[in-house]
Amino acid sequence: MERARLWKSSVPVAANLLLGIPAVVPLFLIWYLLSNYPLADLGWTQREPTENDGILPGLIIAVPVVGVFGIVWTLLNLWMRDRLSAGASASTYWTLAAALTLAPYGLLIAFG
């Protein structure tokens, strides 16, 4: 019985870590747009010198990519939460799922 519970709780962990690999693309797009437009206008970052097309082309690419990833991530985690969460509270599950998904991006930033 304990082995089945361990298996059920490790599937969401592995799935969210694996989802973190393709999450690098939408997270990079979000950072690129933020650092080149609102944060650069506030003086917190330097705008990319060759970025002169405006924000619209970036949004045309970023909105569908982030949206599709967000929908896939949410639906998969809703499914796993209902079936495989092994009794974790909702806030604990969603916090852990988000942290595990962000982990590969954080490692890439830290060691890349």
Side-chain angles (χ1 to χ4, degrees), residues 6-97:
L6 181 63
W7 169 253
K8 279 187 166 187
S9 62
S10 65
V11 170
V13 170
N16 280 297
L17 279 173
L18 289 173
L19 277 172
I21 295 168
V24 169
V25 174
L27 290 170
F28 170 76
L29 289 172
I30 291 168
W31 170 247
Y32 184 81
L33 290 174
L34 286 175
S35 68
N36 277 304
Y37 296 100
L39 296 179
D41 291 341
L42 290 171
W44 294 354
T45 61
Q46 293 275 334
R47 183 170 278 146
E48 179 71 31
T50 59
E51 182 59 56
N52 58 5
D53 293 332
I55 197 167
L56 185 61
L59 287 176
I60 289 172
I61 294 169
V63 168
V65 170
V66 172
V68 167
F69 180 80
I71 289 169
V72 169
W73 183 84
T74 302
L75 291 176
L76 185 64
N77 275 293
L78 283 171
W79 181 81
M80 287 189 297
R81 168 90 175 99
D82 290 342
R83 288 166 184 77
L84 304 172
S85 66
S89 69
S91 60
T92 302
Y93 179 83
W94 289 105
T95 303
L96 187 60

Side-chain angles (χ1 to χ4, degrees), residues 24 103-112:
V24 169
Y105 186 72
L107 290 173
L108 186 64
I109 296 298
F111 298 111

